[in-house]
Amino acid sequence: MLIGGVRIIVGASIFVSIGINFANIAGRYLFSEPILWAEEILNYLMVWSVFLGAVLVTWEGRHIKMDLISARFRPPASVILNIITVAVFAGICVFMIIQSWTVTSMAQQIDQRSVAAEMPMMYAHVAVLLGFAGMLVAVLLRIPQYVRNVFGSETAAAQKQVVDTFGTFE
């Protein structure tokens, strides 16, 4: 349910970005009146899409992995390596949550605003905070899957994606 909501928000922000970009192009080239705040808002929507999209990637275990060597490990070494990987990932998320909270709260306290849209910068910075918080929750809720590496290697994931998209070529 929560993941479905994140998917909807990411999809909606992409569609809103397309609409703003189209309106800006039309305004600039058809009416010689560009939307002054469009580029700025498009950048913020991209940041939101990336950080919320990272939550989805984390939930599905689809981060790019450099698993050339680690994919060849057998239990218990592979389990130990996966536990270390999850702990490091969670630690980085906690660190980034703390840093993002500091920046977001400072932006709110000083009422920092963007140049063209005059949007409170807190809204842009909170995307990083929510993204890392969402990734932390996703990895903690799926610790057993991460430890057992049920997501597989990148090669297996890519092959599955091709089969799911195009079917088999027999």
Side-chain angles (χ1 to χ4, degrees):
M1 170 101 172
L2 181 63
I3 294 299
V6 173
R7 285 184 203 282
I8 289 170
I9 293 169
V10 170
S13 71
I14 290 170
F15 278 113
V16 168
S17 296
I18 291 169
I20 292 171
N21 200 21
F22 181 77
N24 192 35
I25 290 168
R28 175 176 289 138
Y29 294 109
L30 296 177
F31 306 109
S32 296
E33 289 290 330
I35 301 170
L36 298 177
W37 49 262
E39 298 293 328
E40 194 173 82
I41 296 299
L42 287 171
N43 286 332
Y44 299 142
L45 285 170
M46 185 185 311
V47 169
W48 271 91
S49 297
V50 166
F51 280 99
L52 290 182
V55 174
L56 300 175
V57 168
T58 303
W59 180 258
E60 295 171 0
R62 299 294 303 261
H63 282 287
I64 295 174
K65 301 174 195 154
M66 302 300 169
D67 60 357
L68 180 65
I69 297 171
S70 63
R72 291 167 179 33
F73 286 4
R74 300 286 170 236
S78 64
V79 172
I80 292 168
L81 183 61
N82 292 339
I83 290 169
I84 292 169
T85 302
V86 168
V88 169
F89 186 73
I92 290 170
C93 286
V94 168
F95 174 78
M96 288 304 299
I97 289 166
I98 293 166
Q99 298 305 312
S100 299
W101 176 264
T102 302
V103 171
T104 302
S105 61
M106 284 173 45
Q108 182 200 18
Q109 288 171 1
I110 65 173
D111 194 30
Q112 182 182 16
R113 295 189 172 266
S114 64
V115 175
E118 294 190 26
M119 180 185 86
M121 291 302 294
M122 178 190 84
Y123 297 136
H125 291 297
V126 80
V128 179
L129 174 66
L130 292 177
F132 277 101
M135 286 187 277
L136 179 62
V137 169
V139 80
L140 292 177
L141 288 175
R142 302 203 76 183
I143 282 179
Q145 290 89 348
Y146 273 95
V147 168
R148 289 178 291 153
N149 194 20
V150 298
F151 306 113
S153 69
E154 280 302 301
T155 304
Q159 289 170 344
K160 181 182 182 315
Q161 184 70 34
V162 169
V163 170
D164 289 349
T165 304
F166 301 108
T168 58
F169 296 101
E170 297 176 22

